[in-house]
Amino acid sequence: MQSTQTPSTEPVVQVPVMVAAELQDSLLVVMRDLHRLEGLLNHATTNLLERFSEANVLLSGDSVGEDPGVDAARAALRSAVTELQFHDMATQLIVHTTQVLQGCAFRLASETMGREEDELDAPIMALQPDRPNPVTQSEMDAGSIELF
């Protein structure tokens, strides 16, 4: 890579086309991996919610009666469901990261390889969005809700 100075006073870095293409391919692979991760999280969360519902039904039956251990198990289930709200935050972060990577890949391609006549313009996202992190909460207590 070579760096040169242009009349607009911004340094220009020249990147070989093959390097740019390999970097773009790597960005696209990471985007696909993030999409797969999102699917795995969705699958696991769906399964967990089903299991929690089954346990809740078993703990709510007439045969269970009033037992401090059962009450504690119900409270633990409620807490576990609250913890699943992190799935939503993780999904938002994955989507945001994927969008940033896609913007980088499109911009890299546009800047280094140009555009052919019959090719449509690729959408280029701002690399520094107004809200760089869509998830602002890092922990959650039972009963607490923060809109983000």
Side-chain angles (χ1 to χ4, degrees), residues 103-114:
C104 291
F106 286 157
R107 184 161 184 193
L108 180 65
S110 172
E111 296 287 329
T112 59
M113 297 175 222

Side-chain angles (χ1 to χ4, degrees), residues 60-90:
S60 299
D62 291 335
S63 63
V64 175
E66 294 298 320
D67 180 344
V70 172
D71 290 338
R74 287 182 188 135
L77 279 174
R78 283 191 297 275
S79 294
V81 170
T82 300
E83 293 297 326
L84 285 175
Q85 292 175 351
F86 277 103
H87 167 264
D88 182 51
M89 293 187 297

Side-chain angles (χ1 to χ4, degrees), residues 11-44:
V12 175
V13 177
Q14 295 176 351
V15 178
V17 173
M18 285 307 295
V19 171
E22 288 173 7
L23 182 57
Q24 183 186 28
D25 286 346
S26 295
L27 289 171
L28 295 174
V29 166
V30 171
M31 288 170 39
R32 281 192 303 273
D33 288 347
L34 285 171
H35 183 71
R36 286 179 26 219
L37 176 61
E38 182 181 12
L40 291 170
L41 282 171
N42 288 337
H43 179 74

